[in-house]
Amino acid sequence: MSKRVLLGLVLACGLTASALAQEPKTGGVINAVIQPEPPGLMLAMIQNGPTQMVSGNIFEGLLRYSPKLEPQPELAESWSVSEDAKTYTFKLRKGVTWHDGKPFTAADVLFSVEMLKQTHARARNNLAQVDKVEAPDDYTVVFTLKQPFGPFLGIFEVGSMPMVPKHLYEGTDFKTNPYNNAPVGTGPFMFKEWQKGSFIRLVKNPNYYEKGKPYIDEIYWQIIPDAAARSVAYETGKVDVLPGGSVENFDVPRLSKLKDTCVTGAGWEFFSPLAWLWLNNRQGPLADKRVRQAIMYAIDRDFAKDVIWNGLGKVATGPSASTIKYYTDDVPKYPYDPAKAKALLKEAGYKGEKIRLLPLAYGETWQRWGEAVKQNLMDVGMNIETISTDVAGGNQKIGDWDYDIAFTYLYQYGDPALGVGRNYVSSAIAKGQVFNNVEGYTNPEIDKLFADGAVATPDSKRKEIYEKAQKILVEDVPVAWMLELQFPTITRCKVKNLITTGIGVNDGFKDAWLDK
Amino acid sequence: MLSFVAQRVVKGVIVLLAIVVLNFFLIRLAPGDPAVVMAGEAGASDQVFVQQLREKFGLDKPLPEQLFIYVKGIATLDLGFSFRQQAPVSKLILERLPATLLLTLTAFAISLALGVLFGTFAARFAGTFLDTAITVFALIFYAMPIFWVALMGILLFSVTVDWLPSFGYETVGANLTGFAHVVDVAKHLIMPAMTLGLFFMATYTRMTRASMLEVKRLDFVKTARAKGLSDAVIQRRHVLRNALLPVVTLAGVHAGTLIGGAVITETVFAWPGIGRLMYDALLQRDYNLLLGVFVTCSVMVLIFNLITDLVYRLVDPRIEFAA
C-alpha cells in the first residue's frame, strides 16, 4: 500500500471517527452536584436556584431561549403575534403526555397561568399585562394583552412559567398537594427518588415526545454541603458535573486543569447575573449623589474581577448586563480613581460619618469581596463598619432598609422590562422586600422611561428609551454596579451538549449525552 | 427505684416544657423569618408574596397564640409541619435519625474505648515516654478543629491514596444490598466516625488518666496490695472501676448531645444526619423543624441523664437511689 493511500485511509478513519463522535450516544448516568439542597421540587411553588436546576428536567415551559435569547419551541411548536402586538397565539405540540400518561393540552396552560398568578411572584408580575387567556381548541392558546408588552415572548421559559398538570392540582390545596413531593411534569426526565440529605434521582422519560431523547438514562443530583468536599468529589471522579456556582471560584482554575475536564461560561445569558451594592439613598451621606459617585470611583472593580473572581466575569458599566437587550456602554464611566473619589467626598462635605456595609453571606468568595470593598472605601477616607449576618439576617436588614451599603446580585431575565426596571422605579419601593427598589431611588423621569419602554413599539423605540434610561441611571448612581458575574460550569469532557440554550443547566439535560 | 424513675420523668417533662418555651422565643429573636428567606431565594419578592408566605407559615398570628399552638402539638407528640420542606417535622427527623445514630454511636464507642484504654495505659506508665506520647497524641486531635482534621483526612485517604470515599452515606447509584451494602456504608463511616471519635477521645483519655492516678493513691489500693493481689487485678478491679465514675458522668453528658453534636462532621462529609438538618433549618429559619430538633435533642439529654444515674449505681453500689 502506498504511503499516500495509507495516509488517505488514516485521514478517512479519523474523519469518520470525528463524525461518529458528534453522533449522540444513548445510555449512561450523569452524577451532578446540587447546592444547596432544594427545599422542594415543585417549580410552580418554589423558585430558588437549586429547585430550578433539578426541576428544569421534570417540568417544561412553552418556550426555551437560544444563547442570543431568541425564542425556540418547547411545548409550543409555533407562535404568532397580531399586528397591534396585543394578541399572541401559541400552537401547542401534539402527542405530549404528562409523566402519568395523561395528555397535555391547552386546558393545562390555562390552569397553569391561573395557578402561577397565586404562587409565583415573578410570573404574577410578568402576567400583569395579560387581559385574558383563551383556548379555542385543545392545542391553541391565545393571550390577549391590555396593551403591547415588549418582552412578552421572553416570559415562557420553564422557570418563569412552568406548566402544571391541571388534573393533579385543580381543586386541591396547592401547598399541601402530595404531588409537590413527587412532581409530575412533561419533561425529559421523571422524578424517581429523593433521599433527603444525600441525593435526588431522576430517570429517563421513555415516552418523551422528541423521539430518541433524552439520551441519558439517569441523573443523580448529589447533595454535598461543603464547598471543599464538592471540589474533592469532582477530583475523585464521584461527580461529573459541577454546575455554575457549586464550587468556590478560587477552586475553578485548579479544577479546570484536571485531566478530561471541560469548562464553559455559557448558559447564563438569560439570567445574566449582575452584582452590585445597594446604596441606601434615603439617609446619611449616601443620600448625596456625589458620595455615591465617589464610591464608584473608589472601588477597584478590575481587582475584584481578576483576584477575587479569578478573572471570571466582566466589569459592569451600568444597570444592564451586556448580554441583555438594549444594552449600551455609551454611558458615563467610573474608572478606579481614588483621588477623584476623595475630591468628590470633600466636595459633598463627608466628615467621616459611620457607614454600615453588609456583605453577602454566600461563602468565601463573597466574604473576600466584602473585605476588598471595605479596604477600597477606607482608603479614600470613608468610615466603614462591616455588619456580619447570615442570609436570613441580611435579608431582614435589607427589607427593613436598615443598612447603608449592601452586596447583592440579581438576574436580569433577558429584558430591561423584566429584570432591570424593577430595581429603579419608585413604584417598586416597599418595605419588607429583599429585591426591587430597596435603595429608595426616586426619579419621575426614570419611572416614565421604564413605563414607556415596556409597552413601546417598534423595537427601535424601546432601544432608544432604554439607552436613555441607562445614561441617566449611571449618572445618578442609585446603586454601585460591580460585575457581570460568570459562574462557569465544570464537566468531564465526555459529557456532551449539556448546555444548548441561554438558560443553561437550568433548562434540563434533554440534549446531553455521554461519549463513553 | 421505680419511684426514683417516676420522679425524674416528671421533672424531665417540666424541664422540657421550659426548654420549648425558651427556644421558641430565642429563635424568633434572630433577625429574619422563613418568609423573608424564601422570598429572597425566589429571586423576586413583593409584599403580597411575603405576606402570603407568612400566612402560610402561621407567622401572622400573635406570638403567644403561635406558642400555644406549638405546645398543644407537642403534648400530642406532633412536632408540627415544615413548610419549607413540605413535610411533617417528625418524618424529617426520623428519616435522618438512623444515619446520625450510626455516626455518633460509632464515634462515641471509638472515643470511649480508645480514651479509657489510652488513659489506663498513661496512668499505668505515668511519667514515662509512653504517657507523654499518649497525651500528646490525644491532645493533637483535641486541639485541631474538627473541620481541619476532616479535610486533611479527605486529602490523604480519598484524594492521595484513594482508599476511602470522601462524602456521603453510601455509594449513590450502586444499589448494593446485603453484606456488600454493609461494607459500603462502613467504608463511608470510617472517616467521619474517626474524626469525631478522636476529638472526644482526648477528654476521656485525660479524665481516665487523672482519675486513676488519684484513686491509686487511696488507702484501699494499699490494702489490696497488702492482700497480695496482682497488679493487673488491682488496676482493673479496684482502680479502674472506681476511676470510671467521672468518666461515666462525662460520657452521659456527651451521649445526650450526640444527636445534634455532629454538625461540622456531617457537613464536611455530606453525612445525611440531624446535625445538618438542624444547621440548614437554622439558616433557613425553619422554626418548626429547628424546634423539633431541639425537642428531640432535649429528650435525648434527659433520657441519657437518667441512664447515667442508673449506671452510677452499677459502677458504684454505694450510691443509692435517693428519691
Side-chain angles (χ1 to χ4, degrees), chain B residues 132-197:
Chain B
T132 317
I134 287 174
T135 308
V136 169
F137 175 75
L139 283 183
I140 282 178
F141 283 100
Y142 191 66
M144 279 201 285
I146 286 191
F147 76 90
W148 177 254
V149 177
L151 287 176
M152 290 304 109
I154 290 174
L155 206 56
L156 180 62
F157 294 109
S158 300
V159 179
T160 311
V161 297
D162 197 15
W163 289 347
L164 297 169
S166 63
F167 73 96
Y169 174 81
E170 60 194 331
T171 306
V172 169
N175 298 322
L176 299 169
T177 50
F179 186 65
H181 183 239
V182 173
V183 171
D184 185 48
V185 173
K187 272 176 118 176
H188 284 81
L189 178 63
I190 292 174
M191 268 208 287
M194 285 305 281
T195 309
L196 201 58

Side-chain angles (χ1 to χ4, degrees), chain A residues 175 181 390 396 431 435-436, chain B residues 32 40 43 45 47 86 172 285:
Chain A
K175 58 181 186 272
N181 287 324
D390 63 357
Q396 181 77 51
K431 215 164 192 171
F435 300 129
N436 305 333
Chain B
S45 71
Q47 282 196 306
Q86 309 260 326
V172 169
R285 304 289 190 270

Side-chain angles (χ1 to χ4, degrees), chain A residues 10 217 267:
Chain A
V10 170
D217 290 334

Side-chain angles (χ1 to χ4, degrees), chain A residues 41-45 55-56 58-63 74-76 90 92 96-99 103-116 120 123 127 133 141 143 155-169 183-187 209:
Chain A
L41 294 178
M42 182 49 185
L43 203 44
M45 313 269 293
S55 299
I58 301 168
F59 293 99
E60 291 185 308
L62 293 184
L63 304 174
E74 184 138 68
L75 286 171
F90 291 87
L92 303 182
V96 177
T97 55
W98 295 98
H99 294 158
F104 164 78
T105 66
D108 291 307
V109 181
L110 263 51
F111 175 77
S112 301
V113 167
E114 285 314 308
M115 175 171 169
L116 292 169
H120 192 310
L127 290 165
V133 195
V141 178
F143 288 83
I155 68 165
F156 291 98
E157 60 91 30
V158 58
S160 307
M161 211 199 276
M163 289 297 120
V164 184
K166 180 184 177 187
H167 62 283
L168 300 179
Y169 276 85
V184 172
T186 58
Y209 54 83

